[in-house]
Amino acid sequence: MAVPENRPRPEPGHTEQSTVRVDSWIWSVRLAKTRSQAATACRGGHVRINDERAKPAQHVRVGDEVRVRQGERERIVVVKRLLSKRVGAPVAVECYLDNSPPPPPRVEAPAPAGLRDRGTGRPTKRERRQVDRLRGL
């Protein structure tokens, strides 16, 4: 009768493979909300592996540099661990080394002139003329 080995269990989502699809990995480490969004980003040219455009089915290995453009910001991460399943945020952060530049500071846009506060009612004739003068009408 065979006795089962007492091996340590791998962490959730951890894979023993040497490569994983890039769209799956981006989704697993929470750089994209859904796998289809990750695949769409790859097809649109927003994902690069080691400075080469990546297709969704392209494989990523430990040590690869992955660049993901998200709007105005570009995330630059180095793969430390491969995942095939989505994991929680604390585990996901341990799977890559983030070399991204800090995000630009958020600038509060000034309120546009001529807009009334919500619930203050309809402007009077005098206020409408002032608004028209401000707009140059």
Side-chain angles (χ1 to χ4, degrees):
M1 191 177 260
V3 178
E5 290 184 37
N6 289 331
R7 286 177 152 181
R9 298 181 113 193
E11 292 185 32
H14 182 70
T15 181
E16 296 295 325
Q17 300 172 0
S18 61
T19 62
V20 175
R21 285 176 58 119
V22 68
D23 61 342
S24 177
W25 187 81
I26 289 171
W27 166 75
S28 298
V29 296
R30 297 176 169 265
L31 294 177
K33 285 187 179 183
T34 65
R35 184 165 171 189
S36 64
Q37 281 182 349
T40 303
C42 290
R43 282 191 295 272
H46 300 289
V47 177
R48 298 178 82 77
I49 299 175
N50 299 327
D51 288 329
E52 293 182 15
R53 282 182 67 165
K55 294 182 179 179
Q58 187 170 339
H59 289 274
V60 67
R61 292 183 166 84
V62 173
D64 284 348
E65 180 185 75
V66 179
R67 293 174 177 256
V68 181
R69 192 172 50 207
Q70 299 170 330
E72 296 290 320
R73 187 170 181 214
E74 184 176 39
R75 300 285 306 268
I76 304 168
V77 297
V78 177
V79 180
K80 286 175 37 180
R81 234 174 65 203
L82 298 176
L83 296 174
S84 60
K85 303 271 189 210
R86 194 166 172 99
V87 293
V91 176
V93 171
E94 296 172 0
C95 296
Y96 60 86
L97 177 65
D98 197 352
N99 293 333
S100 305
R106 297 180 78 177
V107 179
E108 296 283 331
L115 294 181
R116 299 178 58 77
D117 293 330
R118 189 174 178 94
T120 56
R122 184 179 170 149
T124 64
K125 190 171 189 175
R126 179 179 177 208
E127 291 170 333
R128 281 198 312 268
R129 287 181 181 151
Q130 289 173 345
V131 169
D132 287 344
R133 250 185 268 123
L134 273 174
R135 291 186 179 164
L137 299 177

